[in-house]
Amino acid sequence: MKLRIAIQKSGRLHEDSIKLLKECGIDINNGVNKLKTEATNFPLEVFFLRDDDIPQYVEDGVADLGIVGENVVLEKNCPLQTVEKLGFGKCRLAMAVPKSMEYNSIRDLHGKRIATSYPVIVNDFLGKMGIEAEIHEISGSVEIAPGIGLAEAICDLVSSGSTLFMNGLKEVETVLRSEAILVANNKLTDDQKVLLRKLVFRIQAVKKAKNNKYVLLNAPNDKLSEIIGLLPGMKSPTVLPLAEAGWSSVHSVLNENDFWDIIESLKAAGAEGILVVPIEKMVI
């Protein structure tokens, strides 16, 4: 028994998908131009496909799992199970109009022509907003549509916004925030579900590690209570006596989002010799 997982054969999610599997301890050989390969130390077969094809392959049961952008799954409208959000490949699907256009609200798109590669998502978004517009589906170079008179607005994937700027456009509405997700066929066998739980356990351990840092510091004992109060840890900080009397070594884990604020507070409370160490895996 094994799982079959589909990932992009090239493009923005390919390298991150391969990296995630390897960080999960899964050894795969992703040679050039290979369409599939098998892991040597986990019951997993990997298919390398076009991102637009992944949802359909998973729905049809050709692959059991897929790593693909949430935007692609929603656009294909496939009934798949979202197993885990993976934290990479983040982008947004956004409306943009020419810089010269006066824009006050979504109502300004009423009756306009909108060019996009995501007609399903855009139609759903506009419908919820009560906006009627003419959708022009195009497969590439969406940002040039206003300049050649095809549309008055576009809806396209945005990361930095530089492409919009270079084409004389401004972002006006966020339609969807997307990231890579792990999706599964809804008809996995019980044995496959067991393997999937093992894979997700590894993925979650890798994700938790990336969001946290291991911190070691020296604290004067008369400030120990105050310093411990600043450190949440997984349960509580570890405190060990140092060889030098009156001092202790404190070990804890900090979330990336709170890291700098807490470090500054620790320093102000008297902590010294603060060391920050990346965590490879984190199992709670």
Side-chain angles (χ1 to χ4, degrees):
M1 179 58 63
K2 63 185 176 183
L3 288 173
R4 299 161 299 175
I5 186 170
I7 68 173
Q8 282 189 7
K9 65 179 179 181
S10 61
R12 63 190 183 92
L13 297 187
H14 172 78
E15 290 185 5
D16 284 334
S17 299
I18 294 293
K19 181 182 177 184
L20 174 63
L21 293 177
K22 291 184 176 180
E23 287 176 336
C24 288
I26 298 173
D27 187 16
I28 57 174
N29 178 13
N30 56 313
V32 177
N33 296 325
K34 293 187 71 171
L35 296 179
K36 69 175 184 176
T37 189
E38 287 198 36
T40 58
N41 58 351
F42 191 86
L44 187 71
E45 187 173 13
V46 183
F47 298 158
F48 300 100
L49 305 173
R50 290 179 63 252
D51 60 340
D52 287 348
D53 294 335
I54 292 174
Q56 194 65 56
Y57 272 71
V58 178
E59 182 185 2
D60 292 344
V62 177
D64 306 305
L65 310 173
I67 296 178
V68 66
E70 190 174 7
N71 57 296
V72 177
V73 176
L74 291 174
E75 181 62 28
K76 295 299 180 181
N77 201 24
C78 293
L80 303 175
Q81 176 190 357
T82 298
V83 180
E84 187 79 16
K85 292 194 173 187
L86 301 177
F88 58 82
K90 292 185 178 181
C91 61
R92 61 191 181 277
L93 188 62
M95 293 281 188
V97 300
K99 293 177 184 176
S100 58
M101 176 179 167
E102 182 179 349
Y103 186 90
N104 299 303
S105 73
I106 188 72
R107 300 298 307 173
D108 291 329
L109 295 178
H110 191 80
K112 296 292 194 294
R113 294 172 297 165
I114 302 174
T116 185
S117 300
Y118 297 90
V120 173
I121 296 175
V122 173
N123 270 313
D124 183 60
F125 174 77
L126 294 176
K128 290 176 180 177
M129 294 293 181
I131 304 298
E132 293 183 9
E134 183 181 333
I135 305 301
H136 288 261
E137 181 180 359
I138 55 179
S139 59
S141 301
V142 175
E143 62 277 355
I144 71 169
I148 61 175
L150 178 63
E152 288 87 25
I154 71 164
C155 188
D156 201 15
L157 287 180
V158 178
S159 52
S160 66
S162 59
T163 302
L164 295 180
F165 180 81
M166 288 187 295
N167 284 277
L169 302 173
K170 59 183 178 182
E171 185 177 341
V172 293
E173 299 285 344
T174 298
V175 175
L176 172 73
R177 294 192 182 276
S178 177
E179 64 182 273
I181 56 176
L182 177 68
V183 294
N185 180 279
N186 289 311
K187 297 180 180 178
L188 297 182
T189 67
D190 289 341
D191 288 340
Q192 288 174 320
K193 289 177 182 177
V194 170
L195 290 177
L196 176 58
R197 285 195 291 271
K198 291 182 178 181
L199 177 61
V200 171
F201 176 79
R202 297 189 185 194
I203 290 173
Q204 290 176 342
V206 170
K207 284 175 58 183
K208 288 187 179 81
K210 288 181 178 179
N211 292 331
N212 291 276
K213 295 286 188 285
Y214 191 74
V215 178
L216 305 87
L217 59 88
N218 297 331
N221 288 344
D222 60 348
K223 298 285 187 177
L224 200 52
S225 295
E226 181 182 354
I227 288 172
I228 289 175
L230 295 170
L231 290 167
M234 288 179 284
K235 289 188 179 295
S236 64
T238 300
V239 180
L240 302 170
L242 291 179
E244 183 177 347
W247 286 80
S248 296
S249 175
V250 181
H251 300 209
S252 189
V253 173
L254 294 182
N255 186 276
E256 186 74 42
N257 295 329
D258 306 321
F259 177 77
W260 286 111
D261 288 339
I262 293 179
I263 288 294
E264 290 171 1
S265 298
L266 290 170
K267 187 70 175 174
E272 297 181 5
I274 302 173
L275 299 179
V276 182
V277 182
I279 302 171
E280 184 175 328
K281 307 288 189 297
M282 188 169 167
V283 179
I284 299 178

